[in-house]
Amino acid sequence: MADQDTVRVRFAPSPTGLLHIGGLRTALYNYLFARKHGGRFVLRIEDTDRSRFVEEAEADILESLAWAGLDYDEGPGKGGPHAPYHQSERKEVYDRYARALLEAGRAYYAFDTPEEIERMRKERATPENPSPKYDAVTRVHMTNSLTLPAEEVRRRLAGGEPHVVRLKVDPGETVTFHDLIRGEVTFATGEIDDQVLVKSDGMPTYHLANVVDDHLMRITHVIRGEEWLPSTPKHVLMYRALGWEPPEMAHLPLILSPAGGKLSKRNADKMGIPVSVRQYREEGYEPEALINFLAFLGWNPGDEREIFRLPELVEAFSIERVGSSGVQFNLDKLRWYNEQYLRMMTPDELIVKVRPYLEKEGITTDEAYLRRVVGLMRERISFAKDLATAARYFFEDPTTYDPKGVKKRWKADAADLVAAYADRLEALERFDEASVEAALRALAEEKGVGAGRIIHPVRLALSGVTFGPSLFAMMETLGKETCLRRLRRAVEVLGKPE
Ligand code: GLU
């Protein structure tokens, strides 16, 4: 394959905060597309907007991609034939193309202050057009190199007067481009503003830097979120003005809140949905689960399969199977994925995951015991950390008993029954699942009560809660000594309710 035929895609985040979950989806789709086609996946940091720059953001982006397993071929820390990959280090490059656009008459200087633009908006507002744009209609009333005499423009520039460079969008035309997900998309140029390309601080805006870099870095496919769709006609106009072929475009569907509307930070917070990748990491989601879940946020394989690890996604992915309508974010589904991935782990893998959480909780335990607990609990946990929190009773005697459970399950005869059961257990030679069960059923029979009458208070006494794995299997794992100690202590603490 000749170089120019090689698929090249990029993930181009702006370091303005923690990497958003939607950003990770964009990175994933680019990654999958690149790997699927044997292409290159480029990471480019779009950091020209100094007012929104956040120092830690880039480290967070790199960490999040590494955690998720999305390795890139060119970019910060890796280098590559188109370095540097930080836009803030490429200012001269953008200057060159801004000049080219100015010289070709496709861009112009504008000297208006923000206040003057604001005034124009107020004065020219009509009911049909409440917030007029800086465009072919209004630019004639403004202070720019299209309205001022050439001499005056030169004087102002030479005097260092603050100015921006704007794209000159001619009205009365249409811009049509093909989107790999949406098909043909058409915009009327009358609806597009004269976009600022170079700001008064001399830095390029996203639009200029993005187009120049996508071209120079030989990007073949731009895959990004739908929120960038309105920017695309501006970009197409710039490609045309510079005499360049635009890359293929693919705009991914919006991620919607379960309550409807876009999943903004605000409405995600309200629904308890984490928005940054870091939060998912900290809450203990498995990266494979999050990746699998995100892959399905806009794409599906066309059949019933749901479990795909990264290499399987690469195999199955196609941009044609990405939908165009918004997709609802479903945290329950993500938890389901997390559970599936925990169940697919070998006990050893799960133990490796659980260890740090146990350490954090100050729990020490030996390997053999931990292995048994993991075996008993793996089907019942949503997160690896649950073993150190919700299932803490495997490692430490309960210090409290769920009050609701006590009310419901610890009846007037509970203390007597539990004490009698403890005595029976003490006499047992073998302390395995079958023996402790037989002992309990025999006791129930003798006392003329249903087995549940003993099972429920015993569970409460052993774990402090009313749910968990099979009681008898749990008892075998806890061992005789621990069971006796806990049962007797509960009898003492809970005694006979009034
Ligand atoms: N820097 C833009 C962002 O933060 C990139 C958009 C694009 O992919 O063109 O998402």
Side-chain angles (χ1 to χ4, degrees):
M1 211 189 259
D3 181 37
Q4 59 265 40
D5 297 334
T6 306
V7 162
R8 291 179 56 82
V9 293
R10 82 310 193 267
F11 177 49
S14 299
T16 55
L18 297 179
L19 181 62
H20 190 279
I21 190 77
L24 186 61
R25 184 194 59 169
T26 301
L28 171 63
Y29 282 32
N30 276 283
Y31 171 92
L32 295 175
F33 190 78
R35 295 291 172 259
K36 171 100 197 177
H37 296 282
R40 306 276 285 173
F41 176 43
V42 178
L43 176 64
R44 183 174 73 223
I45 303 294
E46 302 209 322
D47 55 353
T48 58
D49 187 350
R50 302 318 278 178
S51 67
R52 296 182 61 217
F53 180 79
V54 173
E55 186 67 46
E56 316 73 53
E58 182 176 333
D60 179 71
I61 291 165
L62 300 184
E63 272 168 42
S64 299
L65 292 178
W67 175 76
L70 305 183
D71 54 312
Y72 51 91
D73 306 304
E74 297 171 27
K78 274 251 160 77
H82 304 285
Y85 291 92
H86 288 93
Q87 289 190 328
S88 58
E89 294 168 25
R90 301 169 60 82
K91 184 172 173 299
E92 310 78 68
V93 178
Y94 312 123
D95 286 347
R96 198 180 328 139
Y97 292 101
R99 269 199 309 278
L101 287 167
L102 286 161
E103 276 158 25
R106 310 309 304 262
Y108 61 93
Y109 296 107
F111 299 94
D112 321 270
T113 64
E115 295 73 36
E116 283 162 350
I117 293 174
E118 205 33 54
R119 185 158 2 109
M120 174 277 277
R121 290 223 158 95
K122 278 218 184 80
E123 283 170 4
R124 307 207 161 263
T126 61
E128 302 78 57
N129 189 7
S131 179
K133 293 190 281 291
Y134 200 117
D135 62 8
V137 177
T138 55
R139 72 164 87 104
V140 295
H141 306 288
M142 307 301 285
T143 313
N144 53 54
S145 58
L146 301 175
T147 57
L148 297 171
E151 185 46 44
E152 159 107 29
V153 173
R154 265 196 297 279
R155 193 183 55 71
R156 288 184 183 233
L157 291 176
E161 190 163 314
H163 63 273
V164 301
V165 175
R166 287 182 179 272
L167 181 66
K168 182 165 173 278
V169 179
D170 297 327
E173 294 171 17
T174 55
V175 181
T176 299
F177 56 90
H178 180 78
D179 186 287
L180 293 172
I181 296 170
R182 277 144 229 280
E184 205 153 273
V185 182
T186 299
F187 286 84
T189 52
E191 266 146 40
I192 303 171
D193 62 325
D194 285 357
Q195 178 64 52
V196 173
L197 302 180
V198 180
K199 289 175 291 178
S200 55
D201 64 0
M203 289 300 264
T205 56
Y206 152 73
H207 302 278
L208 175 63
N210 188 268
V211 163
V212 167
D213 282 346
D214 281 346
H215 176 74
L216 295 181
M217 296 182 178
R218 310 177 83 106
I219 298 302
T220 57
H221 297 76
V222 166
I223 304 172
R224 61 186 170 198
E226 181 178 320
E227 62 273 26
W228 300 101
L229 194 59
S231 296
T232 305
K234 300 178 187 178
H235 299 177
V236 171
L237 289 174
M238 290 160 71
Y239 282 106
R240 283 192 200 154
L242 289 162
W244 296 339
E245 184 69 30
E248 300 270 5
M249 300 285 174
H251 289 88
L252 306 177
L254 283 181
I255 300 178
L256 304 175
S257 150
K262 204 180 157 202
L263 186 73
S264 64
K265 170 140 174 44
R266 178 135 35 95
N267 64 36
D269 278 351
K270 248 190 276 164
M271 311 214 48
I273 298 174
V275 288
S276 69
V277 178
R278 174 165 324 159
Q279 276 171 288
Y280 286 91
R281 222 159 81 202
E282 287 173 355
E283 289 190 15
Y285 286 91
E286 300 301 325
E288 296 87 350
L290 185 61
I291 284 293
N292 198 151
F293 168 78
L294 287 179
F296 275 73
L297 224 46
W299 169 86
N300 69 76
D303 54 37
E304 296 301 300
R305 290 174 300 156
E306 293 192 276
I307 302 292
F308 288 81
R309 290 177 195 273
L310 208 42
E312 294 152 0
L313 285 171
V314 168
E315 182 73 20
F317 186 78
S318 76
I319 205 89
E320 288 74 33
R321 293 211 59 85
V322 176
S324 60
S325 42
V327 280
Q328 215 161 50
F329 192 96
N330 180 345
L331 203 55
D332 290 335
K333 188 75 197 188
L334 174 55
R335 181 171 344 103
W336 178 84
Y337 270 115
N338 214 62
E339 291 165 356
Q340 303 312 307
Y341 277 88
L342 292 174
R343 310 227 192 318
M344 288 188 288
M345 285 178 196
T346 64
D348 283 327
E349 285 168 337
L350 195 47
I351 285 173
V352 168
K353 295 273 179 188
V354 172
R355 280 267 180 227
Y357 294 112
L358 292 175
E359 267 161 39
K360 208 164 108 199
E361 295 292 321
I363 296 170
T364 48
T365 174
D366 68 77
E367 188 76 15
Y369 182 70
L370 181 54
R371 185 172 299 272
R372 301 184 63 180
V373 175
V374 161
L376 209 51
M377 293 300 289
R378 56 184 293 142
E379 299 288 331
R380 300 171 183 276
I381 51 173
S382 300
F383 297 94
K385 69 174 174 200
D386 292 347
L387 279 176
T389 53
R392 191 185 184 104
Y393 57 80
F394 275 104
F395 310 100
E396 286 170 4
D397 290 358
T399 50
T400 56
Y401 304 94
D402 166 36
K404 270 208 204 101
V406 171
K407 193 149 182 270
K408 184 152 175 234
R409 300 300 192 187
W410 196 271
K411 301 291 185 201
D413 56 359
D416 287 343
L417 291 169
V418 170
Y421 186 43
D423 293 342
R424 297 285 169 98
L425 292 176
E426 189 160 18
L428 283 185
E429 301 231 322
R430 290 168 53 103
F431 198 85
D432 56 18
E433 199 175 332
S435 328
V436 298
E437 173 163 10
L440 187 140
R441 296 205 185 276
L443 178 65
E445 180 107 36
E446 279 168 40
K447 299 277 182 187
V449 296
R453 198 84 183 179
I454 312 177
I455 288 177
H456 294 302
V458 165
R459 178 185 292 287
L460 197 57
L462 294 176
S463 68
V465 292
T466 53
F467 53 88
S470 145
L471 177 68
F472 305 115
M474 176 173 125
M475 289 177 68
E476 181 179 330
T477 300
L478 287 171
K480 186 171 180 176
E481 200 187 313
T482 300
C483 287
L484 291 180
R485 183 178 68 245
R486 291 186 186 182
L487 291 177
R488 288 187 169 135
R489 184 176 138 79
V491 168
E492 212 181 289
V493 172
L494 298 173
K496 280 198 178 71
E498 302 309 303

